[in-house]
Amino acid sequence: MEVLRRYPRSITLASLPPLLRRHPALAGLAGASSAVLAVPEAARAFTVAGLATLTDRHPVVVAVPTSTDAERLAHDLRAFLGADQVDLFPAWETLPFERVSPSVEAMGRRLRTMWRLRQPLRMPRVLVAPVRSLVQRLGPHVEDVEPVVVRAGDQVDPMDLVERLVLAGYRREAQVEHRGEVARRGSIVDVFPSTADVPVRVDLWGDEVDRLTTFSVSDQRSTGDIECAEIFGCRELLPTDDVRARAASLIRSEPWGREQWERLAEGATFDGMESWLPWLTQREHVLFDLVPRDALVLLVEPRRMRDRAKDLLEEEAALATSLAQTWGAGTGGDREWPRLHLPFDRLLAHTSAPAWTVIPVAEGPDTAVIEARGWDPVFGDANRLSRQVADLLARGYRVVVAAEGEGSAARLAEMLRDNGVSLPVLSDDATGSGSGILVEPLERGFVLPDI
């Protein structure tokens, strides 16, 4: 539940973030190249959404300490801004040298994010990223990758389409069942895009795309027509000419890793190949290198982020020392293995965009503060919930309740009505200054008195 003071406009969650322009704490921050803003965690998504609607800088890149923080923040931001306006840049979530590839979905989403940062018309308004994904080095030329785009009516050679997908990291199978797989049966090409929830079927008549549909994995039947499929790659490390040449040179200079160097030099793709990325690129290249200079960076709880990045570096160093002995590679003397992760303090050197710090509690009298408190849910206690809502309404607040679904919204309205509180279920096109219940789930609710 989020609670806001009087505002006579259409009643949708998307209509609420612009209210932040009324907040006195932001008056002196407009255009600042650096600032410190105290925002309670419960109101963080609303505040970021408000900043994104008020600033001329885009995207707003929000760096957070953990992947869980990123997922929760992105969820509520999508409610306030719209799903297409919010992107999340996930971390690999695999250990260095683990010889296990990150998930196909994670690599596909990362490739899509990097592509969107180069597309002015497709750039997200807000990009959320855990610190682990920000301090991780990117693969060579990974930001130049383009999706394979297929539309109904296009002229497409089926053999060429399959070959392009295989080169993007897709695995050729007899039948598509999982992300990252492609199959061809005569004039039909099936593919499960790395960023999609359902697979896509390309039905060809000769070399023309006669029909483009989604289909069910369970029974392999088409489920609905689509106009266009954007198919992003499913590997961040590909055996490009540069990678193959670098791997060939490592056969001589790093003979302990001959097995994987030879496979990479031959252009093979294999599970865990991403583990060797630090040896295959010499650039200190991270996501912030791709962020445009007219972006705005928000560093959320930088102390926690710094600690998390330090833990990653220490973990990677310990693994390197242990595995070097196992592989007979050696780390003594002046020898230092290349690292997948950068120190946190080097991140901002990779962007010229202004950076603000967001902390949960003010650290001094000069800190700009968004005064807010979390909404305390009272599940199962209808009397207490009704008293809380009635008290806020009596004090002039506008109360907007975010419900999980239509059934939940109806039950909540009935429960409040039985306790003497009238709070109608609102449609997306409802207007007015009244309070109500909307079908749009949020992770956190809050009370925001200053607007």
Side-chain angles (χ1 to χ4, degrees), residues 211-283:
R211 191 182 180 199
L212 197 61
T213 65
T214 56
F215 68 92
S216 168
V217 167
S218 59
D219 60 16
Q220 297 289 304
R221 293 182 178 179
S222 296
T223 54
D225 291 291
I226 57 176
E227 295 181 0
C228 176
E230 291 181 344
I231 309 170
F232 289 87
C234 53
R235 283 200 182 275
E236 286 187 59
L237 180 62
L238 295 172
T240 62
D241 291 342
D242 289 346
V243 168
R244 295 176 66 178
R246 175 64 178 162
S249 70
L250 288 168
I251 296 174
R252 297 184 298 273
S253 62
E254 305 285 350
W256 56 270
R258 175 179 293 274
E259 178 184 353
Q260 60 265 12
W261 308 144
E262 287 180 343
R263 296 174 73 184
L264 288 163
E266 293 168 358
T269 58
F270 53 92
D271 195 37
M273 61 187 290
E274 292 80 11
S275 298
W276 310 109
L277 188 151
W279 279 271
L280 299 170
T281 179
Q282 296 176 316
R283 296 178 64 193

Side-chain angles (χ1 to χ4, degrees), residues 5 9 25-26 159 195 199 215-216 243 255-256 260 280 292 303 335 358-359 365 375 393 401 417:
R5 205 175 281 278
R9 284 199 179 176
L26 299 181
M159 294 180 61
T195 60
F215 68 92
S216 168
V243 168
W256 56 270
Q260 60 265 12
L280 299 170
R303 290 180 183 173
R335 175 66 184 272
V358 178
I359 53 179
W375 173 261
L393 292 171
V401 181
R417 185 167 57 251

Side-chain angles (χ1 to χ4, degrees), residues 1-36:
M1 176 179 290
E2 73 282 357
V3 186
L4 301 157
R5 205 175 281 278
R6 301 167 292 271
Y7 193 67
R9 284 199 179 176
S10 60
I11 305 173
T12 65
L13 290 188
S15 72
L16 303 180
L19 293 173
L20 203 63
R21 74 171 66 249
R22 295 181 170 192
H23 203 289
L26 299 181
L29 299 183
S33 59
S34 63
V36 179

Side-chain angles (χ1 to χ4, degrees), residues 45 48-49 52 59-60 62 70-89 109 112-113 116 122-129:
V48 172
V60 177
V62 189
E71 292 283 355
R72 293 182 65 178
L73 181 61
H75 176 275
D76 282 6
L77 283 169
R78 292 186 184 108
F80 287 122
L81 297 173
D84 195 53
Q85 295 298 312
V86 180
D87 214 341
L88 192 153
F89 190 67
R109 289 167 64 190
R112 182 180 61 188
T113 296
R116 291 187 70 184
R122 297 290 298 274
M123 189 179 296
R125 181 175 289 184
V126 177
L127 173 58
V128 183

Side-chain angles (χ1 to χ4, degrees), residues 338-382:
R339 295 284 184 261
L340 179 63
H341 301 101
L342 271 62
F344 176 77
D345 292 334
R346 293 228 292 271
L347 272 184
L348 290 183
H350 289 264
T351 180
S352 57
W356 292 12
T357 296
V358 178
I359 53 179
V361 180
E363 296 179 342
D366 297 330
T367 303
V369 179
I370 300 293
E371 183 184 347
R373 63 177 174 84
W375 173 261
D376 180 23
V378 284
F379 303 117
D381 190 340

